[in-house]
Amino acid sequence: MLIREIQQKDNKSIAKVIRDIFHELDAPKVGTAYADPILDTLYEVYQAPRSVYYVVEHEGKVVGGCGVAPLEMLKPVQHDIVKVCELQKMYFAPEIRGTGYAEKIIEKCLEFAKTQGFELCYLETLSFMTTAQKLYKRIGFENIDGPMGNTGHNSCEVWMTKKL
């Protein structure tokens, strides 16, 4: 398996992986990544400054991915924008879960974030995604009491941060 930066040709594949997981888990479609208007254009979105999205490719097929980008703030304060990033859209097809690639891709995202000068990484997830939460905690993320920023993911009820 290979972890690499997203390419334009990956847009359709990674969007399908993400949507398939929402169907598999019967997860909320509204107020989550499923409904993001950018989901079909992740390559273009992650060309923005201080942003990156990595995919996992297995035998020529995209089977997962994860990205990091500046956290969009509700009421931006310049120092907040500079220091806080968000771990985004980490999803893996069933065939590669439990292989360690989630941890590898998160570490790759966090290393990128550090090179971009971020000091805090934020993420949000759904409460029933307990396996992902255990992984986040093992990596050093801690729960916080409420959401940060303007992600549009109002169905997510678990919020976490990690100092970089």
Side-chain angles (χ1 to χ4, degrees), residues 2-3 5 8-10 29-30 35 50 64 67-68 73 80 89 94 97 103 105 110 113 117 138 141 146 158:
L2 169 70
I3 296 176
E5 286 191 37
Q8 192 167 29
K9 68 178 183 171
D10 301 322
K29 313 298 186 286
V30 177
R50 303 174 78 208
V68 67
M73 304 304 272
D80 289 336
K89 295 179 181 49
R97 293 180 198 155
E103 187 166 348
I105 207 168
L110 296 178
R138 191 170 71 244
F141 281 87
V158 175

Side-chain angles (χ1 to χ4, degrees), residues 94-110:
E95 62 262 31
I96 67 158
R97 293 180 198 155
T99 62
Y101 275 84
E103 187 166 348
K104 289 177 186 176
I105 207 168
I106 292 171
E107 291 296 345
K108 198 164 177 70
C109 286
L110 296 178

Side-chain angles (χ1 to χ4, degrees), residues 101-149:
Y101 275 84
E103 187 166 348
K104 289 177 186 176
I105 207 168
I106 292 171
E107 291 296 345
K108 198 164 177 70
C109 286
L110 296 178
E111 283 303 314
F112 173 85
K114 288 176 193 174
T115 70
Q116 299 302 303
F118 292 112
E119 296 178 8
L120 185 72
C121 186
Y122 168 78
L123 67 82
E124 31 189 46
T125 189
L126 296 163
S127 60
F128 65 84
M129 293 185 166
T130 55
T131 303
Q133 291 171 51
K134 287 177 188 172
L135 171 62
Y136 298 141
K137 287 180 181 176
R138 191 170 71 244
I139 291 171
F141 281 87
E142 298 177 351
N143 290 84
I144 59 173
D145 292 334
M148 293 175 66

Side-chain angles (χ1 to χ4, degrees), residues 44-114:
E44 289 79 5
V45 168
Y46 286 93
Q47 299 310 299
R50 303 174 78 208
S51 304
V52 70
Y53 194 88
Y54 296 106
V55 296
V56 178
E57 183 182 300
H58 179 59
E59 297 178 354
K61 179 183 172 191
V62 172
V63 291
C66 183
V68 67
L71 176 63
E72 185 178 327
M73 304 304 272
L74 283 171
K75 295 180 181 175
V77 176
Q78 188 59 38
H79 72 274
D80 289 336
I81 294 170
V82 171
K83 295 180 181 177
V84 183
C85 64
E86 180 187 11
L87 194 69
Q88 302 173 334
K89 295 179 181 49
M90 187 191 81
Y91 294 97
F92 292 92
E95 62 262 31
I96 67 158
R97 293 180 198 155
T99 62
Y101 275 84
E103 187 166 348
K104 289 177 186 176
I105 207 168
I106 292 171
E107 291 296 345
K108 198 164 177 70
C109 286
L110 296 178
E111 283 303 314
F112 173 85
K114 288 176 193 174

